Amino acid sequence: YLETRESINRDKKIKKIDQVITSLEQNKKTLKGYLINNSDSIYFAQWSDDIKKADYILNNAINYDELSIENERLSNVVLNYEKIQKAKVDANFTINELKKILKENLTTDFAPLLIEQVKNLEKAIKKETIEDIISADKIAKEFIFKNFEEPKLKAAEEKRIADAKALEEYKKSPEGIKEEEERVK
């Protein structure tokens, strides 16, 4: 019975170790893909070092904890890259929106400001720092809202209010009163 229990426990531990090794190898493979697809990235040297360190730990780990810690570290590197990619996608969408607005406002005073917003976003994307990308994207979106969307919203609200007032005035006019009386009948 004890031997069977010990064998079951050993198998569970081996399975757990195998899962961490598989995950570590997958994270390593993902980083290699980043190296291949992003050879101009500022993180290129870090990723290369991360892969070397992961290889060393895979080949020389003394215990489960070493494997687990390295897997967690590599998982965080992968997650950070994915967050940066998502922020880049959002920033590129904002750049496209700014360029579309620029086409419509090429001869206005907004043109230089729009160009500046595009340049700031492009600089942030090149830095590949998530905080910079998110910050520049937020600033650009606020710029778009404040200068282009908010005035449209205010104009629509003012038109709605004016239409409501005109309707009230019409209801007070002789034609409006007559129409209301007929509607009630």
Side-chain angles (χ1 to χ4, degrees):
Y1 171 78
L2 291 176
E3 286 177 8
T4 304
R5 287 299 285 167
E6 192 174 305
S7 176
I8 290 171
N9 286 337
R10 187 176 26 250
D11 289 345
K12 284 182 183 178
K13 288 178 183 178
I14 290 172
K15 186 176 180 181
K16 192 174 172 183
I17 291 170
D18 285 344
Q19 288 173 342
V20 170
I21 289 172
T22 301
S23 179
L24 186 56
E25 288 174 343
Q26 181 60 42
N27 285 329
K28 201 174 82 170
K29 182 179 176 184
T30 302
L31 282 179
K32 284 181 182 179
Y34 295 166
L35 286 173
I36 292 168
N37 296 323
N38 301 292
S39 59
D40 59 340
S41 174
I42 63 170
Y43 297 108
F44 187 86
Q46 177 190 341
W47 293 335
S48 182
D49 291 341
D50 288 339
I51 291 170
K52 289 175 187 173
K53 185 176 179 185
D55 280 336
Y56 178 80
I57 289 181
L58 272 170
N59 294 325
N60 301 307
I62 296 172
N63 58 36
Y64 171 80
D65 289 338
E66 281 186 55
L67 289 170
S68 181
I69 290 169
E70 182 61 15
N71 183 49
E72 184 70 26
R73 190 183 69 76
L74 276 189
S75 293
N76 288 334
V77 170
V78 170
L79 183 63
N80 187 50
Y81 174 77
E82 289 171 356
K83 287 179 182 177
I84 290 171
Q85 288 306 104
K86 184 186 178 312
K88 281 181 176 182
V89 168
D90 292 344
N92 281 319
F93 180 77
T94 304
I95 287 172
N96 290 337
E97 194 173 340
L98 285 166
K99 287 179 179 180
K100 180 181 160 193
I101 294 169
L102 179 61
K103 286 178 187 177
E104 297 167 359
N105 295 281
L106 204 51
T107 58
T108 67
D109 293 338
F110 285 114
L113 299 172
L114 289 162
I115 292 170
E116 181 182 340
Q117 292 295 324
V118 170
K119 286 181 181 179
N120 288 340
L121 273 170
E122 288 173 344
K123 278 184 200 175
I125 289 172
K126 279 190 177 185
K127 281 185 181 179
E128 292 187 34
T129 306
I130 193 161
E131 293 84 11
D132 291 344
I133 296 170
I134 291 172
S135 175
D137 191 41
K138 182 179 177 187
I139 290 168
K141 285 179 179 175
E142 288 173 356
F143 174 81
I144 290 169
F145 180 78
K146 180 181 174 221
N147 293 299
F148 299 99
E149 293 174 5
E150 190 174 43
K152 288 178 185 176
L153 292 173
K154 284 182 180 178
E157 180 64 17
E158 289 171 2
K159 184 182 181 322
R160 187 190 64 76
I161 291 170
D163 289 347
K165 283 182 181 179
L167 181 63
E168 287 299 316
E169 290 298 319
Y170 175 75
K171 286 181 179 179
K172 292 177 184 177
S173 70
E175 297 99 23
I177 293 171
K178 184 179 177 183
E179 187 179 303
E180 182 62 21
E181 287 173 354
E182 288 186 24
R183 188 187 67 82
V184 171
K185 285 181 183 177

